[in-house]
């Protein structure tokens, strides 16, 4: 952690003068955030401070007002995340209708359906680490698509899909620094800096964040580090190239919750600060995401875009767990796992009119390959633990003897072709589309399986006034 602390200290120290400038512009708002246009991957979106998001890109791959979509979509912007002091994805749940925490892990439900694996980063499939919640200081917005979205993303939960969009470079210099301290030795700090690198051809954005916190419960802690650089290259008018890197590193323990004595209904039967985690337990995760996109305008209103994404995940776990009763038997589990996701997408988008009908037509192809491997080794009854008089000490793992080993995981490949057309006729918006999806999957020790499906979509919106609409 020494290198992380050094990087964090340097970043905060270098940004302090900029933080004073940002405060002078009003309400902690940077000047660039008040501009009408902010450069994004493939699209240009602007918004004023304090507003919730009112546009989306992921549903149609064109910028569209939420009121013009025949689907329920909520957009939580970085301004909302900052103003509410949110640092984890799960913390968004109380502020979005239809979304709730399924568990205390990286685990949400939308409209009652668990969506722990339906996460997208900049529209691409990722591998959700589930057990830990990384920092979200690098996100520009979080789009929650409520309801089925298979016609857009392929296989997805019927409850909904979460798309996380990273911050992109801006054309003007802007800098922000965030720091917080709290109970139980909680410390957090973050820096967000952006601007041009010599003219308007090359733009940068850099987000760095770190945390180090304890807990009121014994042996529970979390230390995390995030760095997310982004580069935009604008060689000529109509051409945009963007490269994003997101790297997170989290050191913690796997918190299985607080046990209670079997058969009792009384609260506070066990000490409030009790946990079964033992000294030396750890849960370390590392993830890296690399995304490269290119957007080329062919003629006015017509553009072609292509993007490639690669995601790596690595996890190491050592933990002691429990069974039942007042004096419980501890078990020991050690795990190593890794996963990778490779994605590719390309599409053509055209904005045109035929008479009185406006069209936003998108046709494209996407491909994804996901591999994950787990290796577990465990043993039962390696010692006892008294819930009413807990003792914490370093245990001799080498004395546990031969461990039971288990290896599992699998491979998933999927690709799809799609076409969508959003038509506008006065106050009426009509969205129609069709996708053909094919997949192949194989788990360790099992036969390969696969299939394909046609996925149609159709919806209609009627705009009652500029601030309200109805859809079906």
């Amino acid at each position: 952690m020494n290198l992380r602390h050094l990087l964090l200290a340097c970043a905060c120290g270098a940004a302090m003068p900029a933080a004073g400038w940002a405060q002078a512009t009003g309400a902690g708002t940077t000047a660039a955030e008040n501009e009408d246009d902010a450069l994004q991957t493939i699209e240009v979106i602007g918004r004023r401070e304090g507003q919730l998001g009112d546009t989306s890109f992921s549903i149609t791959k064109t910028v569209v007002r939420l009121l013009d979509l025949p689907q329920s979509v909520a957009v939580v912007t970085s301004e909302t995340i900052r103003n509410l002091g949110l640092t984890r994805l799960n913390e968004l749940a109380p502020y979005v209708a239809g979304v709730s925490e399924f568990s205390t892990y990286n685990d949400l439900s939308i409209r009652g359906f668990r969506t722990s694996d339906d996460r997208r980063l900049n529209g691409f499939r990722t591998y959700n680490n589930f057990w830990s919640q990384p920092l979200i200081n690098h996100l520009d917005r979080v789009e929650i698509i409520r309801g089925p979205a298979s016609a857009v993303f392929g296989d997805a939960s019927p409850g909904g899909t979460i798309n996380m969009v990273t911050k992109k470079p801006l054309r003007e210099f802007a800098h922000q620094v965030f720091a917080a301290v709290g109970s139980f030795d909680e410390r957090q700090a973050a820096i967000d800096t952006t601007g041009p690198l010599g003219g308007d051809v090359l733009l940068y954005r850099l987000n760095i964040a770190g945390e180090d916190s304890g807990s009121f419960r014994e042996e529970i802690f979390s230390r995390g580090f995030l760095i997310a650089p982004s580069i935009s290259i604008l060689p000529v008018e109509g051409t945009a190239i963007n490269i994003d890197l997101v790297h997170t590193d989290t050191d913690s323990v796997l918190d299985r919750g607080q046990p209670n004595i079997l058969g009792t209904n009384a609260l506070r039967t066990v000490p409030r600060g009790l946990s079964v985690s033992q000294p030396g337990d750890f849960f370390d995760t590392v993830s890296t995401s690399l995304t490269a996109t290119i957007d080329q305008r062919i003629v006015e209103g017509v553009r072609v875009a292509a993007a490639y994404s690669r995601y790596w995940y690595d996890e190491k776990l050592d933990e002691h767990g429990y069974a039942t009763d007042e004096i419980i038997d501890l078990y020991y589990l050690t795990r190593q796992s890794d996963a990778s996701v490779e994605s590719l997408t390309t599409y053509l988008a055209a904005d045109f009119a035929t008479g009185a009908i406006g069209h936003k037509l998108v046709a494209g192809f996407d491909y994804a390959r996901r591999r994950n491997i787990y290796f577990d080794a465990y043993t039962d009854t390696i010692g006892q633990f008294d819930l009413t008089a807990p003792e914490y000490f370093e245990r001799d793992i080498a004395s546990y003897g031969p461990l039971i080993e288990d290896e599992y995981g699998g491979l998933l490949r999927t690709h799809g072709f799609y076409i969508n057309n959003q038509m506008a006729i006065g106050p009426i918006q009509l969205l129609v589309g069709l996708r053909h999806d094919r997949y192949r999957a194989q788990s360790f020790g099992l036969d390969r399986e696969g299939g394909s499906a046609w996925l149609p979509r159709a919806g209609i919106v009627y705009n009652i006034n500029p601030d309200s609409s109805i859809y079906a």
Side-chain angles (χ1 to χ4, degrees):
M1 294 299 292
N2 291 338
L3 178 58
R4 299 178 198 167
H5 291 164
L6 177 60
L7 287 172
L8 190 58
C10 292
C12 292
M16 287 305 292
W21 170 84
Q23 186 175 9
T25 63
T29 307
T30 62
E33 285 176 327
N34 285 326
E35 291 291 329
D36 290 334
D37 296 331
L39 184 66
Q40 303 291 331
T41 302
I42 305 176
E43 85 273 23
V44 175
I45 293 177
R47 59 176 178 265
R48 292 192 300 273
E49 171 74 15
Q51 287 186 325
L52 292 176
D54 56 5
T55 60
S56 175
F57 181 81
S58 60
I59 292 294
T60 61
K61 296 192 182 299
T62 60
V63 179
V64 59
R65 292 195 321 149
L66 298 185
L67 289 173
D68 294 336
L69 287 173
Q71 186 157 7
S72 179
V73 180
V75 178
V76 182
T77 65
S78 59
E79 291 86 1
T80 302
I81 292 172
R82 185 184 67 241
N83 293 341
L84 294 174
L86 309 180
T87 59
R88 300 287 197 282
L89 190 64
N90 276 26
E91 296 173 2
L92 272 63
Y95 305 98
V96 182
V99 180
S100 60
E101 288 189 82
F102 192 92
S103 70
T104 59
Y105 306 119
N106 195 356
D107 187 17
L108 294 170
S109 65
I110 304 177
R111 292 184 171 179
F113 289 90
R114 198 173 189 178
T115 60
S116 58
D117 198 36
D118 284 309
R119 307 288 171 81
R120 302 295 190 271
L121 182 65
N122 294 321
F124 288 101
R125 184 188 299 270
T126 66
Y127 180 81
N128 181 25
N129 56 24
F130 183 78
W131 298 108
S132 66
Q133 297 188 46
L135 299 168
I136 59 172
N137 303 74
H138 63 302
L139 296 184
D140 178 68
R141 63 188 186 272
V142 179
E143 300 179 344
I144 298 96
I145 299 95
R146 289 176 287 228
S150 295
V152 180
F153 298 110
D155 63 304
S157 167
T161 304
I162 297 173
N163 181 38
M164 300 169 287
V165 182
T166 57
K167 294 177 180 177
K168 303 300 188 295
L170 303 179
R171 294 181 182 273
E172 295 192 5
F173 285 109
H175 317 281
Q176 288 183 338
V177 171
F178 166 83
V181 295
S183 304
F184 310 108
D185 299 322
E186 179 184 7
R187 298 183 295 273
Q188 296 184 14
I191 181 175
D192 180 3
T193 178
T194 185
L197 289 173
D200 293 333
V201 175
L202 185 62
L203 312 177
Y204 83 94
R205 190 152 192 172
L206 177 63
N207 279 267
I208 301 176
E211 68 152 352
D212 189 347
S213 61
S215 171
F216 67 92
R217 297 172 60 220
E218 294 288 342
E219 302 300 326
I220 302 297
F221 65 90
S222 179
R223 293 187 291 269
F225 173 75
L226 175 147
I227 182 167
S230 178
I231 296 292
S232 290
I233 306 171
L234 311 173
V236 295
E237 185 177 355
T239 301
I241 301 170
N242 201 91
I243 301 173
D244 289 304
L245 177 70
V246 180
H247 178 80
T248 64
D249 190 339
T250 302
D251 300 335
S252 61
V253 293
L254 183 50
D255 187 358
R256 298 285 189 175
Q258 186 181 36
N260 202 0
I261 295 175
L262 185 67
T264 182
N265 295 320
L267 298 176
R268 301 180 182 177
T269 304
V270 299
R272 176 174 176 266
L274 180 140
S275 80
V276 181
S277 296
Q278 301 296 302
D281 286 4
F282 62 85
F283 180 55
D284 300 342
T285 65
V286 177
S287 67
T288 303
S289 172
L290 176 65
T291 305
T293 64
I294 181 170
D295 184 281
Q296 177 65 56
R297 187 176 66 200
I298 307 301
V299 295
E300 189 65 31
V302 180
R303 60 190 180 85
V304 62
Y308 173 81
S309 174
R310 188 69 186 265
Y311 184 90
W312 299 268
Y313 173 76
D314 184 72
E315 164 188 311
K316 292 181 174 62
L317 167 69
D318 261 28
E319 70 163 344
H320 292 81
Y322 61 91
T324 55
D325 297 326
E326 180 175 329
I327 297 179
I328 61 178
D329 293 327
L330 289 176
Y331 71 78
Y332 171 74
L333 167 68
T334 181
R335 171 184 297 159
Q336 293 189 20
S337 69
D338 67 85
S340 64
V341 183
E342 188 174 26
S343 304
L344 173 69
T345 185
T346 182
Y347 61 90
L348 175 73
D351 193 342
F352 61 96
T354 55
I357 304 175
H359 298 265
K360 290 185 176 181
L361 180 68
V362 177
F365 166 82
D366 54 43
Y367 166 84
R369 177 184 183 275
R370 184 179 68 187
R371 178 194 61 85
N372 59 293
I373 299 175
Y374 296 87
F375 179 79
D376 289 358
Y378 60 93
T379 186
D380 296 325
T381 316
I382 52 87
Q384 291 188 322
F385 187 79
D386 191 340
L387 296 181
T388 59
E391 294 182 351
Y392 298 92
F393 57 89
E394 195 87 28
R395 297 177 183 269
D396 183 12
I397 297 176
S399 68
Y400 293 168
L403 302 179
I404 302 171
E405 297 181 350
D406 186 23
E407 187 175 18
Y408 53 99
L411 178 67
L412 170 68
R413 289 189 179 94
T414 178
H415 67 267
F417 300 89
Y418 59 88
I419 184 169
N420 294 306
N421 189 11
Q422 185 176 17
M423 295 169 281
I425 312 170
I428 298 175
Q429 303 273 344
L430 179 64
L431 178 62
V432 295
L434 182 66
R435 178 186 177 97
H436 184 263
D437 221 40
R438 181 179 295 274
Y439 81 95
R440 287 184 298 168
Q442 185 171 17
S443 299
F444 286 176
L446 300 177
D447 293 335
R448 178 183 296 178
E449 61 181 19
S452 63
W454 289 97
L455 304 168
R457 68 185 304 196
I460 187 170
V461 177
Y462 179 79
N463 295 114
I464 300 172
N465 56 52
D467 297 319
S468 59
S469 64
I470 55 176
Y471 71 88

